Amino acid sequence: GAVVSQHPSWVICKSGTSVKIECRSLDFQATTMFWYRQFPKQSLMLMATSNEGSKATYEQGVEKDKFLINHASLTLSTLTVTSAHPEDSSFYICSAPGPGVNQPQHFGDGTRLSIL
Amino acid sequence: KNQVEQSPQSLIILEGKNCTLQCNYTVSPFSNLRWYKQDTGRGPVSLTIMTFSENTKSNGRYTATLDADTKQSSLHITASQLSDSASYICVVTSNSGYALNFGKGTSLLVTP
C-alpha cells in the first residue's frame, strides 16, 4: 500500500540551528502534501499545504519565513525550521493523499524536534 | 465553523473488554469520515473510511458507524488487546477538497 516516509525521526539541536525534515511518498506521486504540528495530548494542527512546483499555502498564524517548505518533486516535500528556538520543539508530521478517489491521508511517522 | 468533537477524552479498559468511542461533527458539506489510530510517537494510521451512504464498516475488531443525519460516528473495539492502547482520531473531510477537520482524539489505555 501507499507509504509515506519521514526523516529524521528525532532531532536534538541547539537553539539557532536550522533543521530540515523530509517527507517522501515511496510508491506513489503526491502533487500535494501537508505538514502538521502536534503538541502532547493535542490533535494535529495543519501548518501548511505543500504544492509541487508552486508556493506552499500556509495556515493563519504560521510564519512562512520560519517554516520554509519546498516541494521540488512529485515524491518529496521538505520542511525547514529556520533558526529554531525551544518554543519550536514539537512533533512534526507530514501526510500525502493516496492515489485514487476517497483514499486516506497517508501519514509519515513524524519527527520529534527538541531544541535546547 | 467546522468542528469535530470526540468523547471521551480518555478511557481505560481491561484487556478483553469492548469499548465505544464517539465522534460528533458539524463539518459541511460532508465528504467522508475516517478513524485513525495513532500510537505514541508515530504517525496516524487509517482504520476505516465512511462516506455519506455508509452506515457501518468493519476492519477486524474495529467497527465504525455513521449517522449522517445526526452527524455522529462511533468506533467500536471488540475484545480489546494491549496493542490497542493508542490515540484514536476522528477526521472529517469536506467536499471542498483536501480540507481535513481533526478531532482531538480519544486516548485509550488497555490494561492487563
Side-chain angles (χ1 to χ4, degrees), chain B residues 64-105:
Chain B
T65 66
L66 174 66
D67 185 334
D69 291 330
T70 62
K71 297 188 177 182
Q72 296 179 327
S73 175
S74 67
L75 179 69
H76 186 75
I77 304 175
T78 305
S80 61
Q81 300 176 358
L82 298 179
S83 59
D84 292 332
S85 296
S87 179
Y88 291 84
I89 305 171
C90 175
V91 182
V92 182
T93 304
S94 71
N95 278 340
S96 59
Y98 291 132
L100 303 181
N101 299 277
F102 288 84
K104 290 186 177 180

Side-chain angles (χ1 to χ4, degrees), chain A residues 31-32 34 36 38 41-46 91 93 95 97 101-110 112, chain B residues 9 31-32 34 36 38 40-46 49 51 87 89 91 98-100 102-105 107:
Chain A
T31 56
T32 302
F34 302 90
Y36 308 84
Q38 186 176 32
K41 298 186 186 294
Q42 298 289 319
S43 186
L44 281 73
M45 292 173 47
L46 180 65
F91 192 54
I93 304 177
S95 76
V101 178
N102 279 338
Q103 288 298 308
Q105 289 288 325
H106 298 281
F107 290 86
D109 268 343
R112 174 74 59 193
Chain B
Q9 184 176 6
S31 176
N32 58 68
R34 294 190 175 94
Y36 286 84
Q38 185 179 19
T40 301
R42 304 293 296 274
V45 174
S46 178
I49 175 174
T51 57
S87 179
I89 305 171
V91 182
Y98 291 132
L100 303 181
F102 288 84
K104 290 186 177 180
S107 179

Side-chain angles (χ1 to χ4, degrees), chain A:
Chain A
V3 175
V4 171
S5 174
Q6 193 171 335
H7 177 81
S9 58
W10 202 348
V11 180
I12 302 175
C13 58
K14 294 180 179 179
S15 183
T17 306
S18 291
V19 178
K20 179 185 284 188
I21 304 170
E22 293 187 347
C23 181
R24 294 180 184 273
S25 57
L26 294 187
D27 51 1
F28 66 103
Q29 294 181 335
T31 56
T32 302
M33 291 185 178
F34 302 90
W35 288 95
Y36 308 84
R37 187 171 180 176
Q38 186 176 32
F39 292 105
K41 298 186 186 294
Q42 298 289 319
S43 186
L44 281 73
M45 292 173 47
L46 180 65
M47 298 175 63
T49 302
S50 174
N51 305 297
E52 188 270 334
S54 64
K55 292 182 179 180
T57 305
Y58 290 82
E59 295 300 301
Q60 189 174 6
V62 178
E63 300 175 56
K64 59 182 179 181
D65 294 331
K66 175 76 172 177
F67 300 99
L68 300 179
I69 291 174
N70 185 9
H71 197 146
S73 75
L74 289 172
T75 59
L76 174 64
S77 174
T78 61
L79 168 68
T80 301
V81 183
T82 62
S83 186
H85 292 286
E87 59 266 28
D88 298 322
S89 298
S90 188
F91 192 54
Y92 293 87
I93 304 177
C94 69
S95 76
V101 178
N102 279 338
Q103 288 298 308
Q105 289 288 325
H106 298 281
F107 290 86
D109 268 343
T111 296
R112 174 74 59 193
L113 177 62
S114 297
I115 308 298
L116 305 178

